[in-house]
Amino acid sequence: MSEAASTRVATSKSKTKSTTTSTTARTTASTTASTLTSSEVVAADSAIAGEDLLSSLAPLLHTWLPGRRWFAGKGQPVTHFSLVSATEILPVRSAGTGPGLLHLLVRAHQPGLSANTSGDCYQLLLGVRAMLPPALASARIGRVQDGPLAGRTVYEGLHDPRVAELLLERLRRPGTLGPLRFERTSAIPAGLAPRLLDTEQSNSSLVYGDSFILKIFRRVFPGTNPDLELPLALSREGCGRVPAPVAWFEATTPQPVTLGVLQPFLRGAGDGWQLALGALAAGRDFVPEARALGRATAEVHLALAAALPTPALRPSQTRQLADGMTERLEAAARAVPALVPYVPGLRTAFDAVAALGHGDSGWAVQRVHGDLHLGQALRAGNGFWSLIDFEGEPARPLPERRRPQPPVRDVAGMLRSFDYAARSHRPWNDAWAAGCRAAYCEGYARAAGSDPRDEPELLRAYETDKAVYEVLYEARNRPDWLPVPMAAIQRLAAAAD
């Protein structure tokens, strides 16, 4: 089916209030996804006013947004919202039973969040219906009391198959829609049935048939997301360890923002975390798998080094690296009092790296995965490992995640993951974790030509930094899991003696 769309973009001229507007886009689509009926794609007869829209949604968002797993500002109240952009992807009508779809970029303003004083920006895809079908009851956000959507129910749109189909159709046919731009690198078949994965943390994902997976970024930042940038670079380099992006979409105003990436779905591949837990439960080691995973990691690092710049870490930058780790440790200790007794011992790991920064040479740095663990690795039935999710640690600013770093950072993340798996199983199997860690480093060394254990100061520092991050994450999101990283904290602090 052919597709045509006319778009009008209106800039808000209203004064800044507790709910403010940057850009509002209203889209009238004459034709859309082939799976939607003609009655569902007629043009909207009035624009959605940005300020009125957000003012009417704010009471619902105040309740709903902080409860999302991907909301980063837990523990602090939201004082107000501001609207960065709004796009009417599927027109919202006053009649009819089909869905409307609003794409919003919204800033949540909170007190005491110095990392981003302008507020974190979130991507919302809101379905709008006059009556919500029972099958979508769990996705309900609430009924709008006033404004342009008065009397209608808004809900998490990704739960709606019709909305999910529309997103794929937009990616099938590149172009612009208000401030949104859709791109693709190859043809995408139509008619693939969508399903929403229910295991998401910092993002949301839709699987289409068994062919593609669309990751929707929730907390978004200006600039190209590494989960698009790095797989594209690896694809150009011919690295088969990472699924190459097939399509993506982004916001173009007021600044470019990566919003979603479509990649091949690795059907039948096993999640490394689940495979490791299965091995523990069966009482068998994971050494061959860990060794092969080390090789896969090294191959990705070699490809990234070939595709992108590999500067040297100057001594001053080494000291800055250690200082940043120390600052994160101190901030985490303020938030999690259980860390306080271990701070002196943990700090020695960072001091050792800072001391090396007073020399004349530094480590080679390059682009890395940035958040590597067993859950980011998929193993095919033939034993072939693939790495996914190159976004980096979502809690860290995008410029930091895109910064070249020592490859040992990824190694440290995987070593921590083996320990995490072993600690989550009862009884704890220290020998299992040690065997996996050694095998992983051996596999890495064979492919890379250098053993990450030959840089003990840097490896210990990155393991410590990762464990501190884990403590803070678990304290905020999964308090029952806090003893797992705290066990590593005790071990790493004792290494100073």
Side-chain angles (χ1 to χ4, degrees), residues 114-132:
S114 59
N116 187 355
T117 54
S118 62
D120 288 326
C121 185
Y122 293 94
Q123 176 180 195
L124 308 180
L125 291 117
L126 303 184
V128 182
R129 286 179 181 258
M131 295 290 292
L132 197 62

Side-chain angles (χ1 to χ4, degrees), residues 17-19 58-59 61-62 66 71 73 76-82 107-113 117-119:
K17 299 182 179 180
S18 62
T19 302
L61 295 181
H62 271 288
F71 181 73
Q76 291 283 352
V78 176
T79 57
H80 63 283
F81 298 100
S82 59
R107 287 197 182 278
H109 298 269
Q110 298 178 272
L113 297 180
T117 54
S118 62

Side-chain angles (χ1 to χ4, degrees), residues 61-393:
L61 295 181
H62 271 288
T63 300
W64 177 79
L65 189 60
R68 302 309 95 196
R69 179 70 178 272
W70 37 264
F71 181 73
K74 291 181 174 62
Q76 291 283 352
V78 176
T79 57
H80 63 283
F81 298 100
S82 59
L83 188 62
V84 177
S85 71
T87 307
E88 198 175 354
I89 295 181
L90 188 60
V92 177
R93 301 170 309 284
S94 58
T97 58
L101 176 59
L102 295 178
H103 180 281
L104 305 182
L105 293 180
V106 175
R107 287 197 182 278
H109 298 269
Q110 298 178 272
L113 297 180
S114 59
N116 187 355
T117 54
S118 62
D120 288 326
C121 185
Y122 293 94
Q123 176 180 195
L124 308 180
L125 291 117
L126 303 184
V128 182
R129 286 179 181 258
M131 295 290 292
L132 197 62
L136 294 174
S138 63
R140 186 179 189 273
I141 297 174
R143 192 171 182 82
V144 182
Q145 299 301 314
D146 52 29
L149 301 180
R152 300 182 218 182
T153 298
V154 294
Y155 60 99
E156 170 58 88
L158 297 183
H159 288 261
D160 191 335
R162 290 182 176 177
V163 168
E165 290 165 359
L166 175 65
L167 288 176
L168 184 65
E169 187 67 15
R170 287 301 323 174
L171 291 166
R172 289 186 65 243
R173 304 178 185 278
T176 59
L177 199 64
L180 305 182
R181 181 169 60 216
F182 298 81
E183 304 278 359
R184 66 175 172 85
T185 60
S186 58
I188 303 169
L192 298 175
R195 70 179 188 274
L196 179 66
L197 296 185
D198 60 1
T199 57
E200 293 309 302
Q201 296 183 8
S202 58
N203 299 296
S204 301
S205 292
L206 288 162
V207 174
Y208 291 95
D210 286 323
S211 301
F212 301 102
I213 183 168
L214 173 62
K215 176 188 283 188
I216 305 290
F217 301 110
R218 291 304 201 158
R219 184 181 179 216
V220 297
F221 301 84
T224 302
N225 193 295
D227 210 10
L228 172 62
E229 177 191 15
L230 297 186
L232 281 175
L234 289 166
S235 176
R236 291 192 294 267
E237 197 60 33
C239 178
R241 293 287 186 178
V242 178
V246 175
W248 60 92
F249 70 108
E250 60 188 1
T252 58
T253 58
Q255 300 179 66
V257 177
T258 306
L259 300 175
V261 180
L262 185 75
Q263 293 173 284
F265 181 65
L266 302 181
R267 180 176 54 185
D271 177 313
W273 174 257
Q274 294 300 328
L275 292 172
L277 294 184
L280 280 161
R284 60 178 179 81
D285 67 37
F286 200 62
V287 166
E289 294 91 338
R291 185 177 291 112
L293 182 53
R295 179 179 185 86
T297 305
E299 290 178 4
V300 170
H301 282 169
L302 291 172
L304 285 172
L308 298 166
T310 56
L313 197 65
R314 298 189 301 271
S316 61
Q317 293 174 313
T318 302
R319 294 192 295 272
Q320 291 172 3
L321 174 68
D323 290 343
M325 292 177 171
T326 301
E327 290 171 4
R328 287 191 290 274
L329 169 62
E330 293 171 348
R334 289 192 295 270
V336 186
L339 267 178
V340 172
Y342 304 102
V343 167
L346 298 174
R347 189 183 287 119
T348 63
F350 309 144
D351 292 342
V353 171
L356 294 175
H358 292 286
D360 296 327
S361 61
W363 286 282
V365 293
Q366 62 169 82
R367 298 299 297 277
V368 298
H369 184 285
D371 189 25
L372 191 60
H373 53 76
L374 284 164
Q376 313 283 39
L378 299 177
R379 185 174 182 268
N382 62 2
F384 186 84
W385 283 102
S386 298
L387 304 186
I388 59 171
D389 294 343
F390 280 72
E391 185 182 5
E393 292 180 0

Side-chain angles (χ1 to χ4, degrees), residues 321 325 353 356 363 406 408 412 455-463:
L321 174 68
M325 292 177 171
V353 171
L356 294 175
W363 286 282
V408 74
E455 299 175 323
E457 297 90 356
L458 199 58
L459 185 58
R460 180 187 169 218
Y462 269 114
E463 275 204 78

